[in-house]
Amino acid sequence: MIRVRVFIRDLYLKSIFNPCQVFRRNRGWADKDIFHHIKIQTNYQCTRQCSFCYYGMKVPHDNIVMDEKIYYKIIDQLKDLSYHGIVSLYECNEPLTDKRFPVFLSYARKQLPYAQLFITTNGDLLKPGDIEMLLDKGLDYMYLNSYDKSAYARNMDLFSALNKKLRKKITHIDRTYQTSWTSRAGNIKQFHKKAISAPCDMVYTVFYIKPDGKAYSCINDFFSVNEMADLNKQSLLEAWFSDSFKKFRKELNRGNRGCSPLCSKCDYAGYTNLPKISFYKRIARYGQRQHIKNK
């Protein structure tokens, strides 16, 4: 049943929703659209070296940690925008390696009452009671991934200890038998498929900010190829609607994946599956565009 739902969802996104969005963007109707999903990566640490991830590549890297001033500046600007979308306090890292995470989460919840606060974690650093604590501090939803049998047993224990109401906010995913992964824009060579020449909606829906406070076009930009803006010097809106970002979006909307070395190797289908989000918060987003116009 789950596979049928996923098939129908992807068919709808690929055949109906995304072509309609491409049409809107070609006509300029989406020029004032703001991101639906902002990813704020606060450090460069993980507890694993998975084969499908940046850390599995075992390339030398420094643990850059986001300056708290930048983090609070971003959240405060989202508040000023009455942001209703998704806020993910992670990306190419394990979010719980940042000891400031509970404090950051609480602040985001206080400032953004209508946003959807979301993380994905491997659970390695979770202790009994931690999930309840994070939900109490304002987390709306969590993907809990199990990548080996011992992690599966541990994560199942944590999940099973939750009451029925809290379980609805957690999706525990058994990854122990998964062998097929995306290539992350061609970066993970062993999973690379033929590059795709098609419009990409990632740059229209997801705003990715790395720990150094700079914004990039894609969550798969491991090596900072497509820098779009610097939030140390610009506001969120200045960055999102910058000339470089707008030009980049138009090229990708034409299906020109050759507009950058990263995109030219990418096998991403071109439509985004956002994390689970409640219906009323999806509807609330439609008021976002008018709010931006009035700024």
Side-chain angles (χ1 to χ4, degrees):
M1 191 62 183
I2 293 177
R3 290 182 179 178
V4 172
R5 290 203 303 267
V6 170
F7 174 78
I8 293 173
R9 177 200 64 190
D10 285 354
L11 183 64
Y12 164 73
L13 287 169
K14 183 177 182 180
S15 303
I16 300 176
F17 180 80
N18 206 45
C20 287
Q21 294 304 310
V22 171
F23 179 82
R24 287 181 67 247
R25 293 160 187 163
N26 282 334
R27 295 296 185 276
W29 300 345
D31 287 349
K32 292 292 184 179
D33 285 358
I34 197 172
F35 45 91
H36 295 168
H37 190 172
I38 184 167
K39 286 177 168 280
I40 307 170
Q41 182 180 333
T42 63
N43 72 7
Y44 261 110
Q45 282 188 296
C46 191
T47 57
R48 292 176 176 257
Q49 293 184 324
C50 299
S51 62
F52 53 84
C53 182
Y54 169 74
Y55 298 97
M57 300 175 75
K58 299 180 181 178
V59 294
H61 67 274
D62 296 324
N63 177 30
I64 301 171
V65 177
M66 178 172 282
D67 189 320
E68 292 183 7
K69 292 180 180 179
I70 295 296
Y71 175 81
Y72 291 127
K73 175 184 174 183
I74 293 168
I75 298 300
D76 288 344
Q77 289 182 51
L78 290 173
K79 177 187 178 182
D80 291 341
L81 296 172
S82 300
Y83 183 68
H84 288 79
I86 300 170
V87 179
S88 295
L89 302 180
Y90 79 101
E91 181 36 50
C92 185
N93 68 324
E94 165 54 47
L96 301 181
T97 58
D98 192 330
K99 302 301 181 183
R100 306 169 297 176
F101 181 80
V103 176
F104 283 173
L105 176 63
S106 294
Y107 189 79
R109 178 77 293 153
K110 178 182 177 182
Q111 300 294 84
L112 307 172
Y114 303 111
Q116 184 90 348
L117 306 184
F118 168 81
I119 64 167
T120 292
T121 176
N122 57 38
D124 286 350
L125 300 178
L126 285 174
K127 301 184 293 293
D130 280 356
I131 294 179
E132 294 94 328
M133 178 270 291
L134 294 174
L135 293 173
D136 185 60
K137 287 185 177 295
L139 189 67
D140 287 296
Y141 210 79
M142 173 191 291
Y143 283 174
L144 180 58
N145 287 325
S146 295
Y147 295 111
D148 57 52
K149 292 182 179 179
S150 61
Y152 178 83
R154 178 202 64 220
N155 289 342
M156 273 303 298
D157 287 342
L158 293 170
F159 180 75
S160 300
L162 301 173
N163 61 46
K164 187 176 181 181
K165 182 179 179 181
L166 295 183
R167 285 183 197 175
K168 292 181 179 180
K169 298 183 177 183
I170 312 296
T171 294
H172 179 217
I173 307 172
D174 181 1
R175 305 280 193 186
T176 58
Y177 298 104
Q178 185 168 339
T179 56
S180 177
W181 303 90
T182 65
S183 74
R184 307 296 293 269
N187 283 315
I188 311 299
K189 305 300 183 185
Q190 64 264 40
F191 299 116
H192 189 242
K193 304 176 185 66
K194 184 179 179 180
I196 291 174
S197 178
C200 177
D201 77 341
M202 187 75 75
V203 289
Y204 285 92
T205 56
V206 182
F207 198 13
Y208 173 33
I209 303 167
K210 289 193 177 186
D212 59 4
K214 295 181 180 180
Y216 293 84
S217 66
C218 179
I219 59 175
N220 297 317
D221 195 349
F222 292 169
F223 303 106
S224 304
V225 175
N226 296 331
E227 181 183 329
M228 294 288 110
D230 187 349
L231 294 175
N232 297 284
K233 304 174 182 177
Q234 298 167 277
S235 70
L236 281 175
L237 289 188
E238 287 171 343
W240 183 252
F241 294 116
S242 66
D243 290 341
S244 59
F245 224 151
K246 288 191 289 188
K247 181 180 179 181
F248 197 77
R249 289 190 192 104
K250 288 181 180 179
E251 289 299 319
L252 284 179
N253 199 55
R254 297 188 185 105
N256 178 19
R257 298 280 181 103
C259 63
S260 93
L262 181 72
C263 301
S264 66
K265 300 179 293 182
C266 185
D267 51 19
Y268 171 63
Y271 51 92
T272 302
N273 293 327
L274 293 175
K276 185 175 180 179
I277 184 170
S278 62
F279 177 74
Y280 84 90
K281 287 188 177 179
R282 288 183 186 273
I283 295 301
R285 274 206 223 108
Y286 287 100
Q288 189 82 45
R289 178 179 172 135
Q290 186 60 42
H291 184 83
I292 297 302
K293 283 183 177 180
N294 294 334
K295 283 288 179 183

